[in-house]
Amino acid sequence: MASNAEFNKDMTRFPLGTAATVDEERTVLTYTRHYAVAPEILWAMLTDPEKTPMWWAKVRGQAKTGSSFDLKWLNVKDEGHGIETDWWYGRIVAADAPKLLEFSNDIHGRIRIDLTPTETGTQMTFTNTVAVPDEAVLMSLAGWHVHLDHLHEALDGKSVDWQHWWDDFYPCWEQIHAHYSAARP
């Protein structure tokens, strides 16, 4: 397993995501990223419980329409150290491997991931419809931005050392959060 020190920590190397208000309660966060792998490889990184902890969270359930799909976040801080959260319950709304994964989650709202093959890999469109206070939108944008950067690294075989995430990546989160803040009208 690669150490966090080997990760590219330049969070500005990828375009910023966007936020659009749906109504008084909901906001849609959208990211478009390109990954230099086939959709099937990216699909496995999104759904395989052996691979998801490399960049995102533990996953419990199956990527099949109607199945449960629970998440356990790994980068929560407690007394200066990374800890795991409780399971956050979810359900697969739609799954069409390796093109579409859409699920609801009791904490993160609705997440939809569309994978489109390109000549050089896969374009991912990641959307998260979430009900958070306005002040939390920038935090959510920065959080997903960092996780999608971790996904790039995981595709190169690197795995986040979650016990040291706060020391290694919180400054990166702060950097990209500042970019989102500056870009907000």
Side-chain angles (χ1 to χ4, degrees):
M1 176 170 72
S3 74
N4 289 343
E6 298 171 10
F7 275 61
N8 185 335
K9 295 182 180 176
D10 177 10
M11 297 293 148
T12 63
R13 69 185 193 255
F14 298 109
L16 295 178
T18 61
T21 302
V22 175
D23 55 35
E24 289 181 7
E25 295 179 5
R26 296 176 299 151
T27 302
V28 176
L29 313 177
T30 304
Y31 305 81
T32 301
R33 295 278 181 103
H34 183 270
Y35 297 92
V37 298
E40 294 80 9
I41 293 171
L42 198 49
W43 179 265
M45 293 302 288
L46 298 168
T47 61
D48 183 338
E50 297 296 317
K51 297 181 184 304
T52 60
M54 293 174 68
W55 67 277
W56 178 27
K58 287 185 178 179
V59 169
R60 173 173 73 184
Q62 296 182 9
K64 295 181 180 179
T65 302
S67 294
S68 65
F69 197 75
D70 305 330
L71 303 175
K72 183 182 273 210
W73 239 244
L74 303 171
N75 66 338
V76 176
K77 188 174 183 179
D78 180 37
E79 297 182 25
H81 297 92
I83 63 165
E84 295 181 15
T85 64
D86 292 332
W87 285 100
W88 295 344
Y89 300 106
R91 182 141 319 271
I92 298 291
V93 174
D96 184 10
K99 299 183 278 188
L100 169 68
L101 178 65
E102 185 172 3
F103 61 97
S104 61
N105 182 269
D106 61 351
I107 300 293
H108 286 287
R110 193 175 204 115
I111 295 171
R112 180 181 172 107
I113 304 168
D114 291 284
L115 304 177
T116 306
T118 68
E119 288 184 17
T120 58
T122 304
Q123 178 175 300
M124 172 197 281
T125 303
F126 178 102
T127 59
N128 179 203
T129 303
V130 63
V132 295
D134 193 48
E135 60 271 11
V137 169
L138 294 177
M139 293 171 44
S140 295
L141 279 166
W144 283 121
H145 190 105
V146 170
H147 280 294
L148 295 175
D149 279 22
H150 291 340
L151 176 55
H152 274 275
E153 301 290 329
L155 289 165
D156 286 336
K158 300 173 187 172
S159 183
V160 173
D161 176 358
W162 294 108
Q163 287 297 311
H164 297 98
W165 189 92
W166 282 88
D167 293 331
D168 295 337
F169 290 107
Y170 185 71
C172 300
W173 179 91
E174 289 179 313
Q175 172 198 35
I176 201 62
H177 184 267
H179 282 272
Y180 279 105
S181 295
R184 188 152 186 152

